[in-house]
Amino acid sequence: TTGAPVIVLPTAGSFDSASPSISGGALYLASNAEHKLRQVSPQDGNSWWTAPFTMDGAFEGTPAIAYGKVYVTDNTSKLYAIDTTDGALAWSKAFVPLSTSSATVAGGVVYTGNDKRIFAFDASTGALLWSYGVGIGANQSVTVANGFLYVGVSGNSPFRRGLVAFALKGAADRKAAARPAVADLVPDRTLTPQ
């Protein structure tokens, strides 16, 4: 290989704040110029659909794809669930303050955050399941694995700077990170760089 591009996808608008995602043989691109999500062929760049609605703000982070939906946040702190078959809006939810975090999906739950809180929404309905305050500096995207939710924090967080691992209580008997109540979301440990 020479390192030269094999294909350059022809796109309209700016894609500078959101990374593309690929799933099921489709590439999902977020246009900040148009405030729209687009599904394209990863082989030739042909557009399969453009979402028939306009988002309120610029895309943030990377779209997450699960359960036949694309989950993406914008910089007005809205989380959108978009149908992968035609780009139709399944639901959207607002949360404050502003977000720069990608969505993460696990166990039927969509997790996202902003600079003060982590949020968990039902992936099917968009209902808020819980939110948890982590102080200033939780703008990074969360990761969920093996019954834990991981988030990087900085600034004035009560957990100091570093990576915080929250144990999702009850996850083992509800299939990995299902739906903990607010009282069940307890900081398990703070991991700091050595």
Side-chain angles (χ1 to χ4, degrees):
T1 172
T2 65
V6 175
I7 185 171
V8 176
L9 299 179
T11 58
S14 166
F15 297 91
D16 56 356
S17 291
S19 303
S21 288
I22 194 163
S23 178
L27 185 65
Y28 297 89
L29 301 172
S31 168
N32 284 329
E34 303 168 318
H35 293 214
K36 288 185 180 282
L37 184 73
R38 197 179 290 165
Q39 184 190 72
V40 302
S41 164
Q43 285 79 31
D44 58 19
N46 285 334
S47 181
W48 290 335
W49 55 250
T50 298
F53 66 95
T54 301
M55 295 190 173
D56 292 344
F59 288 90
E60 295 290 347
T62 303
I65 301 137
Y67 315 116
K69 308 255 184 319
V70 181
Y71 301 94
V72 65
T73 58
D74 72 14
N75 67 357
T76 68
S77 287
K78 272 198 178 167
L79 171 64
Y80 300 85
I82 301 163
D83 194 289
T84 57
T85 57
D86 58 6
L89 179 64
W91 54 260
S92 68
K93 293 293 175 179
F95 55 97
V96 292
L98 295 181
S99 171
T100 56
S101 170
S102 299
T104 299
V105 185
V109 179
V110 183
Y111 301 92
T112 190
N114 56 32
D115 69 344
K116 291 186 173 57
R117 301 192 75 76
I118 299 167
F119 298 88
F121 297 92
D122 184 284
S124 297
T125 66
L128 177 66
L129 301 174
W130 52 259
S131 71
Y132 187 84
V134 291
I136 304 296
N139 265 346
Q140 296 84 0
S141 300
V142 301
T143 298
V144 176
N146 302 319
F148 286 90
L149 181 146
Y150 300 91
V151 64
V153 295
S154 61
N156 295 323
S157 170
F159 308 110
R160 304 184 312 258
R161 294 173 189 256
L163 180 67
V164 180
F166 293 93
L168 297 174
K169 302 295 183 185
D173 58 347
R174 283 184 279 164
K175 298 191 179 171
R179 295 184 173 140
V182 174
D184 288 341
L185 186 70
V186 180
D188 188 68
R189 60 185 179 264
T190 302
L191 310 172
T192 53
Q194 300 297 321

